[in-house]
Amino acid sequence: MIVVMKMKASQKNIDAVIHRVESAGCQVHPIVGVDRTVIGVIGDGRVVDRRQIGRMKGVENVMPITKPYKAASREFKPEDTVFSVGGVIIGGKDLVIMAGPCAVEGRTELLEIAHACKEGGAHILRGGAYKPRTSPYSFQGLAEEGLRYLAEAREETGMPIITEVMDPALVPLVCEYVDILQVGARNMQNYTLLNAIGRSQHPVMLKRSMIGTTLEWLMCAEYILSHGNNRVMLCERGIRANETETRNTFDVNAIPVTKQLSHLPIIADPSHATGRWEYVGATAKAAVAAGADGLMIEVHQQPDQAWSDGRQSLKPERFKRLVGELRLIAQAVGRDIPVDSLEVNQNGRTGIATPIEVVTKR
Ligand code: PEP
Ligand code: MN
């Protein structure tokens, strides 16, 4: 439920409501606005008496949250979630471009492609150190060695890094190295992993499973948010349909749908959504036009030599050209793609200049 406090409610009134809710075993997420405080209550709604709360001093209104996902819903938090990772703003007016190889293949290779991605317009570097492969005999990733190379690439380029984590036991280790954790499509409903990531309080991108409905996906985001970890973004990466020409089917609907239902930023991954580099550009453009907050694109210096997902990887020159085209589309829909992450830092959109993340857990 949501408790809307009166404009003139005192801190004592607010504290009394919080105390009442917490002693019933529910979690409280106060949102302090300019003229009033709104208190989000999460937990088993049966144990708090709504009418009793409604009669408390300073309370204007008590409303139920009708959706089964609470903290992820727009009802709970009407304004967009915006947060900063290493100086790059996610969920704001500017779109964020994440790019890099499917897998970290070696130190030299990663440093080279990291520089090429930055030069092509990327703000965040991606690269898998733990790879979820269909075959147990395929390359499984360089593990911690790969994390070290990613951290080195961040040092050299200044770009924050994102990588997938599959094992809950490895969450603390991966958090030591990277700025954003990625939950892969195959692990969307791995609740033990989601709980571990929620507890870590680390920024996270939650990919949609290839068979996941929007409801299931948002319920998974709820797992992470329920631990008070609010730096969550969603990622649409294509779903299973009966089409065989492409690896998956990009669900462009997912962008306006999640935007309406949730306040979380939504990133599009046209690489996994299509599985073929020839289609990545068209899908990326559709995603930007539809209102995505960013893109994740696989880039490789020699796609035909890539250890994984070469078929869908763009060469650096093509990636750079695409970002230029995407910028025009972003501008046509009232947004922008900063030329590089340095510009994101310099154009006053970081830190105190931007209203960042207002939901806090007590
Ligand atoms: C990836 O990002 O390389 C990846 C494995 O993605 P997904 O989980 O969407 O298949
Ligand atoms: Mn991949």
Side-chain angles (χ1 to χ4, degrees), residues 195-208:
N195 281 327
I197 291 174
R199 283 192 297 268
S200 78
Q201 302 296 322
H202 220 66
V204 55
M205 185 174 83
L206 175 65
K207 284 191 154 195
R208 180 187 187 176

Side-chain angles (χ1 to χ4, degrees), residues 102 126 131-132 164 182-186 207-208 210 237 247 269 272 296 298 309:
C102 178
R126 67 146 285 146
K131 295 306 303 174
E164 176 164 356
Q182 174 173 318
V183 178
R186 290 153 194 81
K207 284 191 154 195
R208 180 187 187 176
M210 50 283 266
R237 46 76 74 206
R247 185 176 179 187
D269 172 349
H272 293 85
M296 169 173 267
E298 287 187 339
D309 289 350

Side-chain angles (χ1 to χ4, degrees), residues 16-96:
V17 171
I18 291 172
H19 180 72
R20 173 78 60 90
V21 169
E22 283 185 338
S23 36
C26 289
Q27 280 177 32
V28 169
H29 295 246
I31 303 168
V32 183
V34 183
D35 20 72
R36 67 171 82 231
T37 294
V38 172
I39 303 168
V41 177
I42 293 180
D44 186 348
R46 291 167 303 183
V47 296
V48 213
D49 185 339
R50 248 173 62 205
R51 276 164 310 176
Q52 222 178 53
I53 303 267
R55 284 196 294 268
M56 288 180 77
K57 258 185 134 177
V59 172
E60 179 157 304
N61 197 4
V62 183
M63 297 175 296
I65 303 175
T66 55
K67 299 284 192 288
Y69 43 89
K70 308 293 178 190
S73 75
R74 276 265 180 219
E75 291 169 85
F76 178 75
K77 181 171 179 268
E79 70 279 12
D80 290 343
T81 281
V82 181
F83 56 90
S84 165
V85 177
V88 175
I89 302 295
I90 297 169
K93 180 172 175 281
D94 290 345
L95 272 70
V96 61

Side-chain angles (χ1 to χ4, degrees), residues 120 280-282 284-285 288 295 317-332 337:
V280 167
K285 289 172 192 170
V288 173
L295 293 164
E317 324 73 86
R318 199 172 283 276
F319 167 69
K320 185 176 180 174
R321 222 176 316 137
L322 175 61
V323 173
E325 292 165 8
L326 294 172
R327 182 169 296 119
L328 297 177
I329 297 178
Q331 289 164 353
I337 298 180

Side-chain angles (χ1 to χ4, degrees), residues 230-351:
N230 300 310
R231 291 179 297 174
V232 178
M233 62 189 124
L234 303 167
C235 176
E236 163 59 37
R237 46 76 74 206
I239 51 174
R240 277 268 161 88
N242 63 351
E243 180 54 67
T244 53
E245 285 299 319
T246 49
R247 185 176 179 187
N248 291 292
T249 295
F250 182 63
D251 180 13
V252 73
N253 296 352
I255 297 166
V257 169
T258 55
K259 278 268 166 232
Q260 184 178 42
L261 299 175
S262 176
H263 50 84
L264 299 173
I266 170 93
I267 306 298
D269 172 349
S271 307
H272 293 85
T274 59
R276 296 175 70 148
W277 68 265
E278 302 94 310
Y279 308 143
V280 167
T283 301
K285 289 172 192 170
V288 173
D293 295 302
L295 293 164
M296 169 173 267
I297 299 176
E298 287 187 339
V299 183
H300 197 281
Q301 50 274 67
Q302 281 180 293
D304 52 351
Q305 306 287 311
W307 295 2
S308 61
D309 289 350
R311 188 69 188 83
Q312 66 197 34
S313 299
L314 297 186
K315 288 184 181 161
E317 324 73 86
R318 199 172 283 276
F319 167 69
K320 185 176 180 174
R321 222 176 316 137
L322 175 61
V323 173
E325 292 165 8
L326 294 172
R327 182 169 296 119
L328 297 177
I329 297 178
Q331 289 164 353
V333 294
R335 303 183 77 176
D336 204 359
I337 298 180
V339 171
D340 62 28
S341 43
L342 206 62
E343 189 184 316
V344 183
N345 291 331
Q346 288 173 346
N347 70 3
R349 293 192 201 283
T350 58

